[in-house]
Amino acid sequence: MFADYVLLLFTTAPRRAKALFNVCRGRRTVSTLFAGLTADRLAWLDSWHGVPLSKFEAAANELVQAGWLQIPAPGYLQVTPAGVDQQKKLTQQLYQPVAWAQFQEVDVRRFNVLNQLALQVVSEFSHQTNRYYPVTTDQGMQATVKLWFRRWHSPQLVSQVVAELTGFLTTLPSPLADVFANSLTGFDFPGQTDQQLAQLFQRTPVEILVMRKDLNCRWIAWLRQQPTGPLAALLQPLVKANPVSVSAWQTYQDFQQGASLAQIATRRRLKMSTVREHLLEAAILTPSFPFEQLLQPETRQLLAETYAQTPSLTQWRFEQVQAVAPDLDFFYFRLYQIMRCQRAAD
Amino acid sequence: MQQTEIYQLLKQKYGFDDFRPGQYDVISDLLAGQDVLAVLPTGTGKSLIYQFVGNVLPGLVVVVSPLISLMQDQVARLNYQGEKRVAALTSQVDFKTRQTVLNQLASLNYLFVSPEMLKQSLVLSALQAVQLALFVVDEAHCISTWGPDFRPDYLGLGALKQQLGQPLTLMLTATATQAVRQDILTQMQVPQAKEVVYSVNRPNIYLAVETVNDEADKRARLQQLVTSTATPAIIYFSSKKQTDLIADWLRETTGLRVAAYHAGLSGESRFKIQQQFMADQLDVICATSAFGMGINKADIRLVVHYHLPTTLADYVQEIGRAGRDDQQSLAVLLYAPGDEQLVRNLNDLTAASANEIQLDYQRFQHHQKPVDDLAQVLQFYWEHQYAVDAVVTRFNQRQRAKATELSQLMAYVQTTTCRRAAMLAYFDEPAPEHTATCCQLAGTGLPVTALGLQATARTVTATVTPWSTVLDQLFLQNS
């Protein structure tokens, strides 16, 4: 059940439900990312891309009905004592993803399609057939795989691909390697659907879905470690240097090279508020962010003193510091929160 | 082009000595520059017609198609046949790919496009800039049976064709009554088009209707049918939920290899199920009517309707998936008293009162976006300056037409005489003489053995294949 995984998103501390759902759905606004950071759920970023918010909300309702979640304040959810027991049970029974952090740095969904098609092409090629229904009719995907195939086409291609797959599959505990292999498509082998895999392996379809997403992430992680083979080459263009969005990363680079926020805004023709949003995004997704360059010692001290009595930083209210320092921009308040959160995690 | 040249090309390009019924007539009319409305039974190779013409005439073949899944099937099939210069434009294609396709139009041979996509100005102007060999409206009956309610964009196709400079036009359908044919010609603004009409009759499909008492009875009968009759089989349902439920139940209780297929599945699952079915790795597919529109499996032996189809035309289209290899096949419609209410409910969903229509017009006047299906349909009329009264009249006519369709379908279900005669009468066709392999008369049993359609020995259910075996199977390595 999808709701089981939704329950595992929450803890006994109250969390803004919509923000956490949006983390899963891959929304990259600063407030969403900040919620992901404070709840320690950034690893789920983009893992349920395309799933409508209403589906999450319906699952949350079920969990509230079941007594596992409660609503401490409108828009917030937290796990109940009964929910804690249920979570314990679920973590023992349900497959738990381990490699979803790949979603942050790799276009996982695009790689899934390319990988499926490339393996089909190589499989059919190894059987010397060229009349088959391609797994995707998407023009862009077909063109990418075609170029890739031309570049790697050689008598060794088949054995190279088998070596990569074997290398990866032998690292997996049972039955994961079988799930991965049985879902592939190729010569005289259409592959099993999630529904069928669920019956074969006696799991629910949602669990198979989670397992397969995670297997694709594990496959990607393995290929990033072994970057010389043909499939690693197919993956390579989809890997970003870091999880920060391209535009925010550029702002961050300019900043690191010593440009002031105002200079960046002029040079990149951005609003000052956008520059600040970019830096906040970079700060959330980069644990080594140089916070001290932006937060003067006085500001840090002011904020530390103001919130000394409030250990949980999700409960800090900006108005409190505003009362003492009316000119302080929200940007510095949020940046300081992020710093505290990053350093607490260390 | 002379007849001999056409046959030479058929042999050379496709390896056939002869055309299937209707293909030659349509092709020669098109090559003579004549617009054609072709009514050809399912399984006669309608796509060969536009492929053939596309091979002869210079320029792009544009195929307007109603369903994304159908388009993807057609693109895949052309890919399969080695045709690479083919693309589809649907709402599922992302913006970047769409741009790439539009920039490369001149180098494509075939473009499949949904009517919604076609009317977008970017798409339209890109198409105006290239030479069109042929403009094809696939499933052309959608203009009439679906048009006013579900696919208002099909209604705009006539105007779009004008904007594309009146290209040579082919309208294709498997089933169209006299009234629907007239409707197609009017909407497409091609009154002079040649009509090539072949019989919808499929003599190798035995027609049966079984009346059961209730839902439980129906399930039991279905189970009995699929276990005692030859497969592969398709079972049609009118809801996704039932499709899933019954597929699970049949799999558990019969040991047959059963899968559900409907629009709720991912593209990957749909692909796999289609391919498994084609490769004889499934015995039974439980489907909503979305399935089968593009599938081309020749040896389907049994088509069962668990729910009533919406019209007799749809029924003929759906059972037409059976027996494309011309071998004996069987179509069974399971009917429980009151089933027609489900069709009425579906019809009511697309109905609208004069008051609702008036209110929606006010929404349009206030520049508010359409929020539901009905408003989306009405939006088309408002954008095309229809008066409220005229739209109310259209909706009323449409509801009456649907009520008539349902009573014609019920006449087929409840007839006490030859069912084939009743079906063909609907298409204004004369009936052949009733024989023992024609249809099941009311009150008689199903002659499964006499038809040679008993179940054969079946494979056991699937097991897990170890991953190393899968790799060996997928990748043939030089040893």
Side-chain angles (χ1 to χ4, degrees), chain A residues 17-270:
Chain A
K18 195 174 158 189
L20 286 192
F21 298 154
N22 279 335
V23 167
C24 298
R25 298 171 71 233
R27 296 289 186 272
R28 284 177 158 269
T29 63
V30 167
S31 72
T32 302
L33 292 174
F34 181 68
L37 177 73
T38 52
D40 193 22
R41 288 293 178 267
L42 275 182
W44 294 52
L45 185 62
D46 209 30
S47 59
W48 290 99
H49 191 100
V51 175
L53 193 59
S54 58
K55 197 172 166 185
F56 280 97
E57 286 166 345
N61 277 337
E62 277 174 44
L63 295 166
V64 172
Q65 295 295 320
W68 293 326
L69 284 182
Q70 62 187 25
I71 307 170
Y76 284 76
L77 287 173
Q78 72 186 120
V79 179
T80 62
V84 173
D85 293 342
Q86 175 68 7
Q87 279 187 329
K88 274 188 202 135
K89 219 169 87 190
L90 289 176
T91 34
Q92 278 162 16
Q93 288 172 354
L94 277 188
Y95 180 78
Q96 302 296 313
V98 297
W100 277 9
Q102 295 298 330
F103 279 110
Q104 292 181 39
E105 291 178 12
V106 179
D107 189 343
V108 176
R109 279 168 292 120
R110 188 171 170 83
F111 181 71
N112 288 349
V113 182
L114 291 176
N115 177 61
Q116 194 85 359
L117 180 62
L119 292 178
Q120 182 191 25
V121 167
V122 174
S123 167
E124 300 282 354
F125 165 73
S126 80
H127 289 271
Q128 295 172 337
T129 52
N130 54 14
R131 282 170 70 96
Y132 54 91
Y133 289 89
V135 284
T136 173
T137 54
D138 183 297
Q139 289 285 298
M141 301 283 184
Q142 287 191 355
T144 305
V145 171
K146 203 178 287 178
L147 272 177
W148 169 84
F149 184 70
R150 263 192 222 140
R151 174 157 137 42
W152 286 89
H153 185 247
S154 82
Q156 290 81 46
L157 175 60
V158 179
S159 55
Q160 284 175 315
V161 164
V162 172
E164 276 182 298
L165 284 169
T166 309
F168 166 61
L169 292 173
T170 43
T171 65
L172 295 177
S174 174
L176 294 181
D178 293 334
V179 171
F180 185 91
N182 280 279
S183 72
L184 296 176
T185 297
F187 176 79
D188 199 24
F189 193 91
Q192 304 283 312
T193 64
D194 287 0
Q195 181 76 41
Q196 291 166 335
L197 291 168
Q199 285 145 23
L200 279 176
F201 292 92
Q202 301 185 335
R203 309 266 182 159
T204 65
V206 171
E207 207 179 348
I208 293 288
L209 181 67
V210 168
M211 206 183 264
R212 285 192 59 214
K213 273 180 205 238
D214 195 45
L215 278 167
N216 283 318
C217 289
R218 284 171 169 228
W219 177 216
I220 286 168
W222 189 88
L223 288 170
R224 291 177 74 178
Q225 296 295 316
Q226 317 282 332
T228 53
L231 289 161
L234 186 68
L235 169 70
Q236 207 276 322
L238 305 178
V239 180
K240 292 195 303 171
N242 57 73
V244 183
S245 67
V246 176
S247 187
W249 184 250
Q250 206 179 325
T251 300
Y252 179 45
Q253 293 299 98
D254 285 358
F255 168 72
Q256 279 192 304
Q257 278 155 25
S260 72
L261 271 57
Q263 284 169 332
I264 298 171
T266 320
R267 200 180 303 160
R268 300 203 51 216
R269 295 185 194 172
L270 295 174

Side-chain angles (χ1 to χ4, degrees), chain B residues 197-268:
Chain B
V197 182
Y198 273 73
S199 172
V200 299
N201 189 22
R202 296 280 306 280
N204 64 316
I205 304 177
Y206 184 88
L207 303 173
V209 175
E210 302 228 330
T211 302
V212 294
N213 294 323
D214 50 30
E215 192 68 19
D217 213 11
K218 201 192 253 186
R219 276 193 177 213
R221 182 62 188 131
L222 177 71
Q223 189 188 45
Q224 204 183 357
L225 262 178
V226 294
T227 47
S228 61
T229 315
T231 49
I234 300 181
I235 308 167
Y236 281 109
F237 298 83
S238 60
S239 87
K240 273 194 286 193
K241 202 175 161 193
Q242 286 277 350
T243 311
D244 283 329
L245 282 174
I246 307 253
D248 286 345
W249 177 73
L250 280 179
R251 195 185 308 112
E252 281 160 22
T253 58
T254 65
L256 291 170
R257 299 167 302 174
V258 186
Y261 184 101
H262 50 67
L265 298 179
S266 68
E268 183 188 327

Side-chain angles (χ1 to χ4, degrees), chain B residues 388-456:
Chain B
V388 172
D389 284 353
V391 175
V392 171
T393 310
R394 265 185 175 244
F395 266 73
N396 288 339
Q397 279 172 349
R398 188 66 211 141
Q399 282 312 108
R400 278 200 298 276
K402 286 190 163 184
T404 312
E405 290 282 0
L406 180 58
S407 62
Q408 282 164 330
L409 177 70
M410 291 312 293
Y412 170 80
V413 171
Q414 291 166 335
T415 184
T416 51
T417 55
C418 174
R419 292 193 195 284
R420 197 172 300 269
M423 175 182 280
L424 292 174
Y426 169 85
F427 294 100
D428 312 309
E429 282 190 39
E433 200 178 330
H434 177 82
T435 63
T437 56
C438 170
C439 60
Q440 180 193 32
L441 297 176
T444 62
L446 200 55
V448 173
T449 314
L451 292 169
L453 287 173
Q454 315 90 302
T456 45

Side-chain angles (χ1 to χ4, degrees), chain A residues 251-317:
Chain A
T251 300
Y252 179 45
Q253 293 299 98
D254 285 358
F255 168 72
Q256 279 192 304
Q257 278 155 25
S260 72
L261 271 57
Q263 284 169 332
I264 298 171
T266 320
R267 200 180 303 160
R268 300 203 51 216
R269 295 185 194 172
L270 295 174
K271 278 194 267 179
M272 197 61 176
S273 57
T274 309
V275 173
R276 287 177 171 159
E277 294 263 301
H278 281 172
L279 289 175
L280 290 175
E281 182 188 330
I284 293 169
L285 296 170
T286 318
S288 61
F289 189 88
F291 291 95
E292 280 80 1
Q293 277 186 44
L294 283 163
L295 291 166
Q296 299 307 315
E298 314 79 80
T299 316
R300 273 181 273 150
Q301 196 183 343
L302 168 73
L303 286 158
E305 281 166 7
T306 311
Y307 298 104
Q309 305 306 315
T310 321
S312 167
L313 57 84
T314 51
Q315 283 169 15
W316 295 4
R317 286 171 43 247

